[in-house]
Amino acid sequence: MSELPPDHDADDQPDHLDPFDEIIAEETDRDPDLAVIEAGSRTLRTQGGPPDADIPTRPADPEVDKALREVETELATRWGETKLEPSVSRIAALMDVLGEPQRSYPSIHITGTNGKTSTARMIEALLGAFELRTGRYTSPHVQSITERISLDGAPIAPERFIETYQDIKPYVEMVEASQEYRLSFFEVLTGMAYAAFADAPADVAVVEVGMGGSWDATNVIDGDVAVVTPIDLDHTDRLGSTHAEIATEKAGIIKQGATVIMAQQPVDAAQVLLKKAVEVDATVAREGLEFGVVERQVAVGGQLVTLRGLGGEYPEVYLPLHGAHQAHNAAVALAAVEAFFGVGAQRADALDLDTVRKAFAAVASPGRLEVVRRSPTVVLDAAHNPAGARAAAEAIGEAFQFSRLIGVVGASGDKNVRGLLEAFEPVFAEVVVTQNSSHRAMDADELAGIAVEVFGEERVQVEPRLPDALEAAITLAEEEGEFAGGGVLITGSVITVGEARLLLGRG
């Protein structure tokens, strides 16, 4: 951030750096977006934590549950989200035969590496507080596929999800008859979301990209506001191996005449984004110059922040989420909503402060330093890359006073696992390595080999089954004596977090 606390001596800053240089020179580490698959329904002994966020359980009606499972089964026969063909031709064809539903409402489009889902939830909460009917599309889901499509701040009802699928299914089949490949799982869900928002009807859509930007299925919308959360190295096999290459792909959501809300970025990523904005005559608001975090203090259950928006300052805003990265996400979300309402362009006044405070106080982001048990405290965080792990490690040290923290780590084999473990090494007293049920999961013994190199053999325990790993970690955290303030952090993969959440009785 270029904005300094009141007691900071500005003379300490190098004379040759202007504020923008300071911003882009700071590579911001952020919590990654949450993405987990539906898991089993076993429960482990637990003492309840705070109330669940908007995470639906299976439908209570057996017939509805059966119908939803049939839709899930049909969708599962399609290409998964990790198999991609870089083209928007199929989704564009589907939108055409559906009558272009995505053009019946304005939209805010969100890309980036880390923080997308939390930011989307904050934007949704703000828009809803100002009495707009919202449609939010995020991915993947925590426990139910219906979470991906939200209306008015709540996941779409199972019955409506099923109905939407059945409505567009004939059109999907029509398009596929003329295409080389079938529509993917993500493409069909994107079509469902856009159709559901038009049918609602939504006043505004908040849309998170699945991966990248230019050829992401969501990119058949022309977002009035394009949000770029922090870019880091992830999905390098598909998006590029440098920040600039990844930013080039993500810049594809910046459309002609849009407003770009840009979080703090690595210098090469910022240059790419700014160049694209110039090419399409987009207006840019940069974190640290036009908006940002002025001040933040740790508070019970979250933090108290003062944000500087495009229209002025918003003091003493309570955010029930932990970590500096979430404060930065809040600043980005606020600027995006201000831009949507024309603050800084058509109007100079700030948004109503009480409404902004009310909206942020109601924000939840499941799986982001989420407490799911007490005595000992068990926390979930879906960090799955080194940047997310660094943000989580810093935040948990700030928000919790653990005398001894036990890590449970189950990672995917295609991630930078060593970098992730190195980020957590300073905060984990011991680590229990495990694996989730995904075919992408790294074998527990292979993960243990890397963990031993990072932590040392005496600090590593191997439990291939996730339920056993949770029991082992809780037992270690419950050890008495000097370790009475123990806690558990379950992390390493979004899939691991989702399955652990169910095992611990959350949904």
Side-chain angles (χ1 to χ4, degrees), residues 306-366:
T306 294
L307 304 175
R308 179 163 56 85
L310 306 179
E313 283 198 2
Y314 298 79
E316 298 183 347
V317 175
Y318 176 66
L319 182 65
L321 300 173
H322 300 293
H325 58 287
Q326 294 290 17
H328 288 282
N329 289 338
V332 170
L334 176 61
V337 173
E338 285 183 310
F340 181 79
F341 284 125
V343 175
Q346 289 84 25
R347 49 183 284 194
D349 55 315
L351 301 178
D352 180 73
L353 177 59
D354 288 341
T355 304
V356 169
R357 286 173 172 168
K358 178 181 178 182
F360 276 120
V363 168
S365 194

Side-chain angles (χ1 to χ4, degrees), residues 182-480:
R182 296 176 70 205
L183 273 77
S184 69
F185 170 87
F186 187 71
E187 287 170 330
V188 174
L189 280 172
T190 302
M192 290 173 60
Y194 289 162
F197 298 162
D199 186 59
D203 295 320
V204 55
V206 182
V207 178
E208 173 191 339
V209 303
M211 184 186 299
S214 294
W215 45 260
D216 186 75
T218 64
N219 203 31
V220 289
I221 59 171
D222 293 325
D224 301 78
V225 179
V227 176
V228 187
T229 66
I231 290 174
D232 213 294
L233 301 180
D234 202 6
H235 301 297
T236 53
D237 56 330
R238 299 178 180 89
L239 302 180
S241 58
T242 68
H243 293 114
E245 290 174 347
I246 294 172
T248 300
E249 174 58 35
K250 294 182 184 294
I253 74 162
I254 301 174
K255 304 298 175 61
Q256 187 72 36
T259 299
V260 183
I261 304 300
M262 194 171 82
Q264 295 177 6
Q265 303 292 347
V267 59
D268 50 351
Q271 291 171 339
V272 169
L273 296 170
L274 292 172
K275 180 181 178 181
K276 178 59 182 287
V278 170
E279 291 172 354
V280 298
D281 196 28
T283 302
V284 179
R286 299 154 295 181
E287 183 182 3
L289 282 181
E290 288 77 21
F291 69 94
V293 179
V294 176
E295 185 180 3
R296 56 181 295 270
Q297 301 174 18
V298 176
V300 176
Q303 54 193 305
L304 194 66
V305 298
T306 294
L307 304 175
R308 179 163 56 85
L310 306 179
E313 283 198 2
Y314 298 79
E316 298 183 347
V317 175
Y318 176 66
L319 182 65
L321 300 173
H322 300 293
H325 58 287
Q326 294 290 17
H328 288 282
N329 289 338
V332 170
L334 176 61
V337 173
E338 285 183 310
F340 181 79
F341 284 125
V343 175
Q346 289 84 25
R347 49 183 284 194
D349 55 315
L351 301 178
D352 180 73
L353 177 59
D354 288 341
T355 304
V356 169
R357 286 173 172 168
K358 178 181 178 182
F360 276 120
V363 168
S365 194
R368 310 299 181 83
L369 289 178
E370 179 187 16
V371 177
V372 293
R373 171 190 163 133
R374 300 286 186 183
S375 300
T377 299
V378 178
V379 183
L380 303 177
D381 193 86
H384 57 267
N385 57 35
R390 289 191 294 269
E394 179 181 352
I396 203 165
E398 174 186 85
F400 301 91
Q401 302 301 313
F402 295 129
S403 60
R404 173 182 172 87
L405 181 62
I406 309 299
V408 175
V409 179
S412 295
D414 58 349
K415 297 295 182 180
N416 181 357
V417 175
R418 180 179 295 276
L420 182 141
L421 291 173
E422 288 174 345
F424 281 123
E425 190 277 332
V427 298
F428 286 165
E430 296 183 54
V431 61
V432 181
V433 298
T434 188
Q435 63 190 75
N436 57 59
S437 64
S438 169
H439 68 280
R440 297 170 56 211
M442 176 175 283
D443 178 78
D445 289 333
E446 181 181 356
L447 179 57
I450 301 173
V452 166
E453 293 176 3
V454 174
F455 288 86
E457 186 173 359
E458 69 283 355
R459 295 168 62 193
V460 178
Q461 183 171 334
V462 185
E463 295 289 350
R465 296 181 65 253
L466 183 56
D468 296 337
L470 300 184
E471 288 281 15
I474 290 170
T475 298
L476 286 170
E478 286 176 335
E479 288 183 355
E480 296 182 355

Side-chain angles (χ1 to χ4, degrees), residues 5-89:
D7 59 348
H8 192 100
D9 184 359
D11 294 334
D12 292 341
Q13 300 300 307
D15 293 335
H16 66 281
L17 287 181
D18 64 23
F20 183 61
D21 288 330
E22 294 173 13
I23 295 165
I24 61 178
E26 179 181 342
E27 295 191 15
T28 306
D29 298 332
R30 302 294 180 88
D31 174 19
D33 56 306
L34 185 62
V36 299
I37 63 168
E38 186 169 10
S41 60
R42 294 169 297 173
T43 58
L44 200 67
R45 60 184 176 84
T46 181
Q47 294 180 345
D52 278 341
D54 56 343
I55 301 297
T57 57
R58 298 299 307 184
D61 186 326
E63 291 302 315
V64 176
D65 187 53
K66 178 182 177 182
L68 180 59
R69 290 187 186 279
E70 289 173 354
V71 172
E72 292 169 326
T73 300
E74 289 187 25
L75 288 170
T77 65
R78 299 179 174 276
W79 276 358
E81 288 167 292
T82 59
K83 184 175 182 179
L84 306 168
E85 197 267 325
S87 169
V88 295
S89 61

